[in-house]
Amino acid sequence: MPPDPETAASRVIDAARLDELRALLGDALDDILRIWLIDAPAILAVAHLARQTGEPDTLIKAIHGMKGSAGNVGAIELSELAGTLERHLKGADPALDLDAELSRLDACYNRAACHIRLLIQP
């Protein structure tokens, strides 16, 4: 049996974190979330380009940036996945399938973005 939508969302987005931010920032949170929806794909694009051009330092920096920015907006699944990938990259894990992991990161971003779009108040 698949998890109910609320349980699935709780694995993607930290609702408590967003509630704290909304209490602190009010409507400005929506602007921050909109900016994140633009910036996060750009970070992923840098990661993909660094992979293609063989720039490991740039790749690690992009993944680190994704980890932090996702954590800041409560996208916990994405932040955790980026953190795990960052550790594997820094450790030069020979078993790492980087293309598969970047695809997972893309899919994880898409899930987070879908949830965040629903949370932005009109």
Side-chain angles (χ1 to χ4, degrees), residues 7-69:
T7 300
S10 72
R11 293 184 185 133
V12 176
I13 299 295
D14 181 351
R17 171 78 175 136
L18 287 174
D19 288 344
E20 289 172 7
L21 289 172
R22 184 147 325 265
L24 181 67
L25 301 170
D27 292 340
L29 176 61
D30 294 327
D31 293 333
I32 292 167
L33 295 175
R34 285 184 190 96
I35 291 167
W36 183 82
L37 289 169
I38 295 167
D39 288 350
I43 295 169
L44 288 171
V46 168
H48 283 281
L49 182 60
R51 165 64 171 138
Q52 292 170 356
T53 58
E55 299 176 48
D57 291 340
T58 302
L59 176 60
I60 290 170
K61 186 176 177 180
I63 298 301
H64 179 78
M66 179 56 68
K67 176 182 73 173
S69 73

Side-chain angles (χ1 to χ4, degrees), residues 2 8 12 34-35 41 47 56 65 73 89 98 109 111 116:
V12 176
R34 285 184 190 96
I35 291 167
V73 298
L89 288 167
L98 187 52
Y109 162 76
R111 283 191 296 278
I116 285 175

